[in-house]
């Protein structure tokens, strides 16, 4: 059973930690401020450990629960220390100045850009899940769908297993470049939150493939 | 209340006709083969009328329920006859040779390419709805979400009204260029149908934003 390191202590870090703990995984939280990481780890309970960004992550799976620019900086700084690990990119590289496009070119994705900077096996996951739904473990009474894209099948399987054990429905959709569609669609959904016509679409929605 | 012309008599044409009839709309079916259109119109019942592609559509809303290449040919052939009408593009321009990308460039969409060929007000809609779910009017026990993108607010409102009256939940997501994300994500979902790992994902799934 893979162990999990989460880099970041924001809402997404807490939401993903909630699923990982529900899955019975050992969780380590790292933050630039180790004191902050320790405080959040104590809140989360379980056997959550903590530390500072820069120390080698103990987890087999390393979740970059930080914005796109920070994710690039962090994998670059870790360099070879991430070799062999499953690196989870959760980012939505929205251009928040225009709110009309992503900051990555349309023929690539944040996940592919991060993958170019690390020897780790990058997997796109959790980018279509809002933090509150991860804490709750459901949206609208349904199990959460977890879309997963990646080029390394062991790595995508490890993330799928984490989600499954955490009560989600993992959907491994294909190669890492499918992140383009995952990032594009979540961007579209995020624009609805800013649209007054969708007053009930806040941070509570869940993207689902109903069968 | 807008009247509706549907060009095509395939599964999507029938599914959209089912929603339009449920919405109480007058429906006209046009096919290259007028006899085929008449036969399907008789099957659908209601006051469905029929005719041949080439005659001026009677509907305020004209749904191009045909593949992308045919849609481009049809709007080109109609030319100015479509001016002022709401033209609904439902296509998913998947590259079926590779099943790994769309046939349109990543910085455009089928909807935008069709819009460049017609004076009508092009609206992207129904591309994330499979035909069987449109006939059923639901997926997994839920109301169908109908994602709508367009640059003309009267045209998007007309399509939203058609969907709403037909028992769907319309979601007007923004300008016509948001079709890029709608087409991209539906392409991703279509690849899952071809993936043996998703044995229950056939033509029965419904993409939904749960609240």
């Amino acid at each position: 059973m893979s162990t999990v390191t989460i880099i970041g202590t924001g809402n997404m870090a807490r939401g993903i930690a909630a699923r990982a703990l529900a899955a019975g995984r050992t969780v380590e939280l790292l933050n630039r401020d180790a004191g902050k990481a320790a405080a959040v780890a104590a809140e989360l309970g379980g056997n959550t450990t903590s530390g500072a960004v820069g120390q080698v992550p103990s987890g087999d799976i390393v979740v970059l629960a930080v914005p796109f620019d920070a994710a690039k900086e962090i994998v670059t700084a870790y360099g070879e220390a991430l070799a062999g690990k499953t690196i989870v990119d959760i980012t939505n590289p929205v251009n928040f100045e225009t709110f009309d496009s992503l900051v990555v070119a349309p023929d690539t994705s944040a996940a592919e850009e991060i993958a170019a900077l690390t020897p780790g096996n990058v997997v796109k996951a959790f980018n279509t899940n809002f933090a509150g739904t991860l804490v709750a473990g459901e949206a609208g009474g349904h199990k959460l769908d977890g879309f997963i894209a990646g080029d390394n099948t062991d790595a995508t399987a490890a993330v799928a297993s984490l989600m499954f054990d955490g009560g989600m429905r993992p959907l491994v959709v294909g190669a890492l470049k499918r992140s383009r569609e995952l990032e594009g669609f979540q961007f579209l959904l995020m624009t609805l939150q800013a649209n007054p016509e969708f007053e009930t679409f806040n941070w509570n929605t869940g993207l689902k493939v109903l069968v």
Side-chain angles (χ1 to χ4, degrees), chain A residues 64-166:
Chain A
L64 306 169
V66 295
F68 180 42
D69 286 341
K72 287 188 287 188
E73 285 167 25
I74 287 167
V75 296
T76 301
Y78 271 115
E80 290 301 316
L82 299 181
K85 291 189 183 289
T86 295
I87 310 299
V88 178
D89 162 38
I90 71 163
T91 63
N92 285 300
V94 174
N95 182 333
F96 286 105
E97 282 179 26
T98 64
F99 219 58
D100 195 39
S101 71
L102 300 178
V103 295
V104 293
D107 61 349
T108 186
S109 60
E112 290 164 278
E113 293 202 3
I114 290 169
L117 300 173
T118 176
N121 297 311
V122 173
V123 172
K124 187 87 198 180
F126 296 108
N127 81 295
T128 68
N129 302 113
F130 289 124
T133 67
L134 289 166
V135 171
E138 59 88 27
H142 282 266
K143 203 173 266 215
L144 301 177
D145 276 357
F147 293 91
I148 299 167
D151 292 333
N152 180 294
T153 55
D154 290 341
T156 55
V159 177
S161 167
L162 171 65
M163 286 182 168
F164 184 85
D165 292 348

